[in-house]
Amino acid sequence: MGEGIKFLVEVVNNIHDILILILNDVLGLQMTDKDMHFWIMGFIGIFTFACVYVISKWLSEFPFGIHLIAFLYTLTFMFVLVFAIEIQQAITNRGNMEFVDAIIGLWGFIAL
């Protein structure tokens, strides 16, 4: 799991560097890192909101729609929580950072 996270971090860092080059050197916008984060995260957030809104609206029409929406929201929260705990274990060297631990934790939520 640690290697996977390092790989993803490297990919994100490379995309970041490429965006800086394109925005500043090619397009001449002279954006700071904060400017770029503002715009990129803003677009990602609005796009995600639109997708979640459409899916939530669609799910709400089902007989158990609100239950489905609450379950998906909670499942999303649990994904963030279990992976944050696994990353914290790797950073502090307390426990073993393993993908299987995260999956078992999520299965615990689903089983209960």
Side-chain angles (χ1 to χ4, degrees):
M1 184 169 176
E3 294 302 316
I5 290 172
K6 288 177 185 175
F7 173 75
L8 289 176
V9 167
E10 185 65 28
V11 169
V12 170
N13 284 336
N14 289 337
I15 291 170
H16 180 273
D17 294 344
I18 291 168
L19 279 173
I20 289 285
L21 285 173
I22 291 171
L23 293 173
N24 290 341
D25 295 345
V26 175
L27 299 176
L29 295 176
Q30 300 308 318
M31 285 186 153
T32 66
D33 195 47
K34 289 175 184 56
D35 294 333
M36 189 179 72
H37 283 228
F38 175 85
W39 287 105
I40 298 298
M41 296 310 289
F43 283 122
I44 290 171
I46 289 298
F47 177 76
T48 303
F49 173 77
C51 292
V52 168
Y53 179 79
V54 168
I55 292 168
S56 297
K57 191 118 172 111
W58 175 69
L59 285 175
S60 69
E61 296 174 4
F62 286 95
F64 295 102
I66 299 301
H67 294 91
L68 287 171
I69 293 168
F71 177 79
L72 291 174
Y73 179 82
T74 305
L75 185 63
T76 303
F77 170 80
M78 293 302 296
F79 266 98
V80 172
L81 182 64
V82 297
F83 284 107
I85 290 170
E86 291 301 318
I87 291 168
Q88 175 267 338
Q89 285 182 340
I91 291 171
T92 61
N93 290 321
R94 299 189 72 177
N96 294 323
M97 182 174 143
E98 296 175 345
F99 183 72
V100 174
D101 289 350
I103 298 302
I104 295 298
L106 290 172
W107 272 115
F109 162 66
I110 291 170
L112 294 177

